């Protein structure tokens, strides 16, 4: 199949050369032949009849397109070490990879797939990949006592691929601005192109595509990318010829072929989606092509932010993805608030949502609750809405993301006797946000009025979060060593050294339920080993691999203990408490839930 496509690709290049009708002046006939223009037209394409809407600004993505800045004199090893963060601006020390074997790091980086459910750990991974640091064990002993350097720039390529996987295309562009083109492998250049397409920098993306096509044309991506640029630039005949050649070569992306035909002015069709990338998204944005739920569901994390703000997507899909992206730290609370505001709102809908059973509240209802809370002027009514909203968010594993959309409203509520019932809810919210003075004022109201919560799960969550943040609990709060709290909750507390010391004895004697049978002990032990040996880079990647593709509520007590203990081992106490708090908010906490 590969050799067949190479033959078709060569025919593709030759046919396009003929179709373009390029002729050379006599003075240039002895010079190397250039089949494609070195630069794409600076003006927007003529003939597409569409104008792309600007993407909402991101904390991750630069507002401008690819700048093309390059550093010309970097050795091969220096290229692998290059980063944009140092110890004084959020990065890790240059020796972050010290002691780790390259083969293991390569394996771990390949397991980084998708934005992590924990924004704390995702931030750690991003900082690691962007740090200026000596790459692990790149120099190997060669024959006869010589040494050799393995893999030109391959460590850089691994880092770039992992950054795209966790949803950081803007940071990829920032990083590659510091890397000379000669050190950028095919995978790196492709990531640059996809990052540019996500950022709607189509002119820059097509310039790179045309420049690099001949070097990398054996990969079907490059043929598809060139076809996209040709259609966008009005070269429809050449593009349609390319599409025919792709089909002849058995290209495995009929969905792209259908989209490209539609972009060229053809009729829309239906094709099964077999993977989504930035080319698909670019065509959907430019044409407004209606996509199915599968398009959003299968999109990689580097497309999430763009999809959330793409009007071409169904609002229900964008709401679902928006909460997920906010939980992962890919969009800001104000972004989620703006997204929520797109749900049509009426006074009737405001009244209706308060009568919905808590277990039936979904993302659309949460959007309406946020709008209702912002519009409500009576404190008691606003508190009732906020209570239901945060209860729903906690049950859905989206507490911190949703809390950010209403934190300002919570700050406007003053602790007073008619809101005493709301005191535990407000205190927990402010504790989560590290606003301890506000949390303590609500705690004082709760204790003064002697508010109690019969819901053991809520009481356990509340008491645990208060303890994590060093805030007092009332006398009737659950004992954190009690088997009434789940093993997950007690593991988080124990790993921080805040109590729960009898956890493992309770599990061993059957006094506490657990899910240890579902844990892959090898990963837990490997994570502990990396942390105890102070191999920070390896530890972070081990943690990411352990959580890969999993909801926080799926983590078991042993895994939670290892993840938090590894942060504590490197004295990242703040990050450890953030992660522990998210676990307590989003994991089943009552006894019998594991």
């Amino acid at each position: 199949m590969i050799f067949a496509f190479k033959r078709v690709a060569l025919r593709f290049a030759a046919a396009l050369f003929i179709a373009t009708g390029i002729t050379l002046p006599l003075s240039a006939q002895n010079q190397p032949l250039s089949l494609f223009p070195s630069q794409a037209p600076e003006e927007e394409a003529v003939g597409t009849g569409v104008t792309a809407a600007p993407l909402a600004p991101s904390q991750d993505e630069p507002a401008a397109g690819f700048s093309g800045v390059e550093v010309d004199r970097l050795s091969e090893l220096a290229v692998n070490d290059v980063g944009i963060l140092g110890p004084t601006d959020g990065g890790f020390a240059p020796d972050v990879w010290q002691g780790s074997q390259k083969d293991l790091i390569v394996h771990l980086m390949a397991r980084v797939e998708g934005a992590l459910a924990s924004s704390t750990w995702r931030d750690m991974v991003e900082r690691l990949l962007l740090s200026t640091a000596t790459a692990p064990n790149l120099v190997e002993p060669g024959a006869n006592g010589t040494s050799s350097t393995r893999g030109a720039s391959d460590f850089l390529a691994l880092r770039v691929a992992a950054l795209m996987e966790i949803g950081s295309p803007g940071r990829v562009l920032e990083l590659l601005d510091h890397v000379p083109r000669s050190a950028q492998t095919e995978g790196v250049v492709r990531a640059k192109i996809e990052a540019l397409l996500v950022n709607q920098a189509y002119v820059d993306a097509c310039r790179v595509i045309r420049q690099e096509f001949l070097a990398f044309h054996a990969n079907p991506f490059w043929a598809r990318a060139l076809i996209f640029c040709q259609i966008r630039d009005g070269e429809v005949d050449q593009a349609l010829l390319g599409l025919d050649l792709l089909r002849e070569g058995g290209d495995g992306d009929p969905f792209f072929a259908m989209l490209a035909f539609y972009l060229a002015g053809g009729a829309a069709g239906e094709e099964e989606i077999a993977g989504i990338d930035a080319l698909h998204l670019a065509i959907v944005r430019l044409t407004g092509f209606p996509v199915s739920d599968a398009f959003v569901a299968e999109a990689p994390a580097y497309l999430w932010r763009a999809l959330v703000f793409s009007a071409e997507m169904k609002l229900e899909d964008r709401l679902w993805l928006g909460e997920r992206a906010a939980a992962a730290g890919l969009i800001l609370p104000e972004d989620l608030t703006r997204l929520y505001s797109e749900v049509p709102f009426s006074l009737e809908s405001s009244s209706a949502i308060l009568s919905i059973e808590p277990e039936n509240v979904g993302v659309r209802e949460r959007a309406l609750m946020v709008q209702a809370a912002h519009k409500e002027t009576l404190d008691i009514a606003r508190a009732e809405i906020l209570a239901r909203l945060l209860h729903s968010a906690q049950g859905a594993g989206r507490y911190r993301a949703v809390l950010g959309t209403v934190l300002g409203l919570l700050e406007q509520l003053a602790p007073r006797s008619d809101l005493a019932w709301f005191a535990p809810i407000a205190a927990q919210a402010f504790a989560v946000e590290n606003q301890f003075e506000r949390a303590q004022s609500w705690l004082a109201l709760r204790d003064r009025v002697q508010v109690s919560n019969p819901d053991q799960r809520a009481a356990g969550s509340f008491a645990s979060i208060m303890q994590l943040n060093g805030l007092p609990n009332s006398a009737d709060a659950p004992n954190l060593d009690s088997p009434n709290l789940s093993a997950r909750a007690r593991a988080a507390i124990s790993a921080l050294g805040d109590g729960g010391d009898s956890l493992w004895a309770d599990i061993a004697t059957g006094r506490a339920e657990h899910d240890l049978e579902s844990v892959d002990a090898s990963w837990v032990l490997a994570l502990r080993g990396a942390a105890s040996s102070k191999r920070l880079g390896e530890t972070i990647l081990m943690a990411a691999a352990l959580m890969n593709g999993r909801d926080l509520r799926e983590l078991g007590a042993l895994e939670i203990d290892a993840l938090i203990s590894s942060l504590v081992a490197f004295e990242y106490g703040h990050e450890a408490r953030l992660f522990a708090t998210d676990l307590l908010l989003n994991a089943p906490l009552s006894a019998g839930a594991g």
Side-chain angles (χ1 to χ4, degrees), residues 562-580:
L563 288 164
I564 295 178
S565 295
S566 65
L567 289 170
V568 172
F570 289 99
E571 299 183 358
Y572 288 112
H574 174 67
E575 288 81 356
R577 290 183 181 275
L578 280 176
F579 180 53

Side-chain angles (χ1 to χ4, degrees), residues 258-296:
M258 184 271 292
L259 286 176
F261 186 64
Y262 186 67
L263 178 64
E270 292 186 6
E271 292 288 354
E272 183 178 350
I273 295 175
I276 299 298
D277 63 23
L279 283 171
H280 301 98
L281 176 61
I283 297 177
V284 168
R285 279 169 147 177
L286 289 171
T287 62
F289 182 86
V291 296
S292 65
D293 299 346
F295 188 96
V296 177

Side-chain angles (χ1 to χ4, degrees), residues 409-485:
L409 300 179
L410 279 165
E411 293 170 347
Q412 295 173 23
L413 294 177
R416 61 182 198 234
S417 57
D418 63 335
L419 291 176
W421 62 272
F422 187 68
I425 299 167
Q428 175 173 287
F430 287 125
V432 167
E433 290 294 322
N434 295 326
Q435 295 191 31
F436 300 131
E437 289 186 7
R438 282 194 166 101
Q440 286 174 327
S441 66
W442 283 97
L443 286 172
L445 172 63
R446 178 206 61 176
D447 292 340
R448 186 169 65 251
V449 184
Q450 297 182 342
V451 175
S452 62
N453 191 337
D455 183 344
Q456 180 61 51
R457 182 188 188 280
S461 170
F462 178 80
S464 303
I465 291 169
M466 294 302 105
Q467 175 156 336
L468 285 182
N469 291 285
L471 294 169
N473 296 292
S474 60
D476 60 353
N479 183 341
L480 295 179
D481 280 329
S482 168
N484 287 332
L485 285 181

Side-chain angles (χ1 to χ4, degrees), residues 360-436:
N360 295 327
V361 173
V363 60
R364 190 177 187 89
E365 289 74 27
R366 285 192 287 276
L368 291 172
M369 287 181 184
V370 169
Q371 292 187 65
H374 278 275
K375 295 176 186 298
E376 183 58 62
T377 57
L378 295 176
D379 286 352
I380 192 72
R382 176 177 285 174
E384 183 178 354
I385 296 170
L386 292 174
R388 292 175 65 87
L389 171 68
L390 295 177
H391 177 80
S392 167
Q394 185 163 349
R398 298 287 183 255
Y399 184 91
R400 194 185 292 275
V402 174
L403 174 60
T405 67
V406 293
L407 184 61
L409 300 179
L410 279 165
E411 293 170 347
Q412 295 173 23
L413 294 177
R416 61 182 198 234
S417 57
D418 63 335
L419 291 176
W421 62 272
F422 187 68
I425 299 167
Q428 175 173 287
F430 287 125
V432 167
E433 290 294 322
N434 295 326
Q435 295 191 31
F436 300 131

Side-chain angles (χ1 to χ4, degrees), residues 3-75:
F3 293 109
F5 186 82
K6 285 184 177 179
R7 288 196 298 271
V8 171
L10 290 172
R11 291 177 58 197
F12 182 41
L16 288 174
F17 169 64
I18 295 171
T20 54
I22 297 175
T23 58
L24 297 176
L26 292 176
S27 60
Q29 289 183 1
N30 293 325
Q31 300 300 317
L33 186 63
S34 176
L35 299 185
F36 302 100
S38 61
Q39 291 187 353
E42 291 297 332
E43 298 296 327
E44 287 296 307
V46 177
T48 60
V50 292
T51 302
L55 180 65
S58 167
Q59 74 276 25
D60 164 56
E61 299 175 357
F66 173 58
S67 67
V69 176
E70 291 189 352
V71 178
D72 293 329
R73 297 182 180 179
L74 285 177
S75 70

Side-chain angles (χ1 to χ4, degrees), residues 68-219:
V69 176
E70 291 189 352
V71 178
D72 293 329
R73 297 182 180 179
L74 285 177
S75 70
E76 183 175 337
L77 288 178
V79 167
N80 284 292
D81 301 347
V82 71
I84 58 175
L85 297 180
T88 60
D89 50 13
F92 296 113
D95 63 353
V96 69
W97 301 108
Q98 183 175 345
S100 295
Q101 297 298 314
K102 184 190 173 189
D103 288 346
L104 174 60
I105 298 303
V106 168
H107 179 78
L108 292 175
M109 281 198 176
R111 287 182 62 96
V112 176
E113 297 178 359
L116 301 177
S118 166
S119 59
T120 300
W121 276 107
R122 184 197 169 278
D123 180 64
M124 295 285 286
V125 173
E126 183 180 78
R127 289 164 57 194
L128 173 68
L129 298 173
L130 293 173
S131 293
T132 302
T134 304
N137 295 347
L138 282 170
V139 178
E140 299 180 334
N144 303 320
T146 63
S147 63
S148 63
T149 302
R150 180 174 65 175
S153 308
D154 58 348
F155 191 62
L156 172 69
L158 288 169
R159 291 162 59 203
V160 167
L163 281 167
M164 293 294 281
E165 280 290 336
I166 66 172
S168 300
R171 304 314 294 268
V172 165
L173 293 178
E174 291 180 54
L175 177 62
L176 295 183
D177 272 354
H178 295 75
V179 179
R181 168 62 194 94
S182 60
Q184 296 180 23
T185 60
E186 178 182 359
V188 171
V189 178
R190 174 172 174 170
K192 179 196 297 180
I193 290 169
E194 294 200 284
L196 289 169
L197 291 172
V198 170
N199 210 34
Q200 295 180 296
Y202 299 134
V203 170
D204 289 326
C206 286
R207 181 184 299 116
V208 177
I209 289 166
R210 290 175 182 272
Q211 288 173 343
E212 306 293 346
F213 174 80
L214 287 181
F216 302 127
H217 64 266
N219 187 317

